[in-house]
Amino acid sequence: VRFGRRFFASRAGLAICRAVHRAGEPQRELWHSRRPMPLVTPLPADHDPAIEQLAIFFAGTLGFAPNSVLTMMRRPALARAFTELNRAVMDNHGRVSSELKRLVGHVASRVAGCRYCEAHTIRAAARFGTQQGADQRRLDQVWQFRESELFTAAEKAALEFAAAAASVPGAVDARIGTELRRHWDDGEIVELEIGRASCRERAFGYV
């Protein structure tokens, strides 16, 4: 039986994602041990001062500079632009926290089938959550957000939107849009959407 991405944004689909997330650690470790060598070798973070400065930002969000950025540094303008985009995404102007943006990205990445972004977003969510004093159980319950008491109604609307928006074809309907607007203003919705859509470095993760 084959399921489309719209299915994985549904209640049943998210339940399957949650089970796979819990059971998949050995498979993820096996995948990482067998993954092919990159086509383009990432530059070391201490290759030159410019790369070191870019790496500082990601050291705060992820704890390391991702291979995507180190690969882009072969064209420094791309790496700088990508880093500035990430800085802008994480610059909070309203009530959308950095932790929530990364959880939104995590849900979207899983629904879209991107393991690379899935791993980075949950790691960043953990780091931002620690900095912001968030309950770390939220990381474990993000796939149960509809029933979890650890997420507010506004956060549930944001995560519902993320799952639907990442589906192919898109599954954002009038109900999801109405609920999102009930809790967030236009600027905050833009922050949520860019937090979801910014998880698109995956191609460079495998180059």
Side-chain angles (χ1 to χ4, degrees), residues 37-189:
M37 295 296 291
L39 295 175
V40 178
T41 302
L43 294 173
D46 59 357
H47 177 74
D48 64 41
I51 297 181
E52 286 191 281
Q53 286 302 309
L54 294 179
I56 289 173
F57 168 76
F58 289 100
T61 61
L62 290 172
F64 60 91
N67 282 344
S68 54
V69 175
L70 298 179
T71 302
M72 288 182 208
M73 275 308 303
R74 294 187 179 276
R75 292 293 183 267
L78 290 176
R80 285 193 293 272
F82 182 77
T83 302
E84 287 306 315
L85 172 63
N86 274 269
R87 282 200 180 105
V89 169
M90 291 296 104
D91 188 12
N92 305 319
H93 296 281
R95 296 169 296 150
V96 187
S97 69
S98 297
E99 183 235 18
L100 178 59
K101 288 177 183 177
R102 295 294 80 182
L103 288 177
V104 161
H106 180 67
V107 168
S109 297
R110 169 52 69 93
V111 172
C114 179
R115 290 288 182 86
Y116 184 83
C117 293
E118 179 189 340
H120 281 194
T121 50
I122 198 66
R123 182 181 179 92
R127 291 176 68 86
F128 283 124
T130 298
Q131 294 169 13
Q132 297 165 4
D135 192 324
Q136 291 295 292
R137 290 178 298 166
R138 287 160 60 89
L139 304 177
D140 297 324
Q141 295 190 22
V142 67
W143 293 107
Q144 300 166 272
F145 68 85
R146 292 187 178 106
E147 296 82 24
S148 176
E149 296 181 354
L150 297 178
F151 297 94
T152 67
E155 290 171 331
K156 290 178 180 180
L159 294 169
E160 192 78 65
F161 165 73
S167 301
V168 177
V172 178
D173 55 21
R175 178 188 63 82
I176 291 174
T178 298
E179 188 65 14
L180 193 67
R181 287 187 174 279
R182 189 191 312 277
H183 300 284
W184 306 102
D185 63 31
D186 286 349
E188 290 166 334
I189 291 173

